[in-house]
Amino acid sequence: NAMFGGDNKPKEKEKKKVAKDKRRLSSRNEANFQCRSDDQVAFAIQEWRRHAHPRANDFFGSQHQLDDVLTQLAKGIDKHDDPILGSDEKCVYWYGDVTKEDLQAAIRMVKPGETAESVTYVNRVLAFIFATDESFDQLMKLPKEPFKMSCGDQLCVHLAHISLATESY
């Protein structure tokens, strides 16, 4: 699906294999990560679901499918951070899987109507689920790759930091 970017091919055990020198491209400090408890994940999903755009419900077809994606997002983000409702001043770092080639925040999901799991960029998923129609329409005109982050940190997944720019960093 072009909406989420990535290649639609299933990935065989593509885990985070990150060269140490490349980690410096992000201000994220993995030692600071505090995962959410099951209750905190459930609360985040409930909170975020209220802000999901109707296009997300239409696309996923069931609340369960949308909740699966929201669960992955909640588990990959520090319990003190919120990429949708959090302060625009602060980056929200991704601690989940990243793509091997270019170190982009990514999740695995089976898209509706497909049977194979594919790798999907987190910032594209967030924009799809939560962006306004106007922002979403502008973002869909950009290349089918991870969106650039206005803060300059591609491991930031704050919705407010997604840039409409097309230039590379």
Side-chain angles (χ1 to χ4, degrees):
N1 189 315
M3 175 168 16
F4 293 124
D7 61 17
N8 286 326
K9 298 176 204 142
K11 301 290 181 188
E12 295 293 323
K13 296 191 180 189
E14 184 177 301
K15 286 290 177 191
K16 326 181 239 191
K17 290 183 181 172
V18 181
K20 286 184 180 166
D21 60 339
K22 290 187 177 180
R23 287 183 192 212
R24 292 190 202 113
L25 297 174
S26 174
S27 299
R28 178 187 77 169
N29 181 346
E30 289 188 47
N32 292 342
F33 178 62
Q34 295 180 31
C35 64
R36 287 177 163 88
S37 67
D38 289 345
D39 286 345
Q40 289 167 326
V41 168
F43 180 78
I45 291 169
Q46 182 180 357
E47 200 62 21
W48 294 344
R49 197 187 299 138
R50 293 186 4 221
H51 296 275
H53 191 281
R55 84 173 81 81
N57 292 317
D58 294 344
F59 176 76
F60 287 107
S62 76
Q63 194 66 59
H64 178 71
Q65 282 185 298
L66 176 58
D67 286 356
D68 284 349
V69 172
L70 294 176
T71 298
Q72 285 192 67
L73 296 174
K75 288 181 175 182
I77 297 166
D78 188 281
K79 69 180 182 179
H80 299 293
D81 293 335
D82 189 320
I84 295 103
L85 305 172
S87 166
D88 292 0
E89 306 301 311
K90 182 182 179 216
C91 285
V92 174
Y93 294 110
W94 178 251
Y95 294 93
D97 287 343
V98 296
T99 57
K100 268 193 239 183
E101 328 72 61
D102 50 358
L103 307 180
Q104 300 290 334
I107 60 170
R108 290 175 179 79
M109 63 182 269
V110 177
K111 296 171 188 164
E114 297 182 11
T115 54
E117 190 175 66
S118 56
V119 172
T120 303
Y121 300 117
V122 171
N123 58 20
R124 292 187 74 93
V125 172
L126 284 167
F128 178 73
I129 296 173
F130 299 105
T132 63
D133 283 330
E134 182 183 358
S135 295
F136 183 71
D137 289 345
Q138 287 181 291
L139 290 168
M140 287 301 97
K141 294 174 185 168
L142 298 178
K144 306 301 181 205
E145 55 192 33
F147 296 130
K148 302 299 177 208
M149 302 307 283
S150 59
C151 59
D153 194 323
Q154 286 302 113
L155 290 180
C156 171
V157 293
H158 198 308
L159 188 63
H161 291 194
I162 294 175
S163 172
L164 292 171
T166 56
E167 71 273 0
S168 296
Y169 286 101

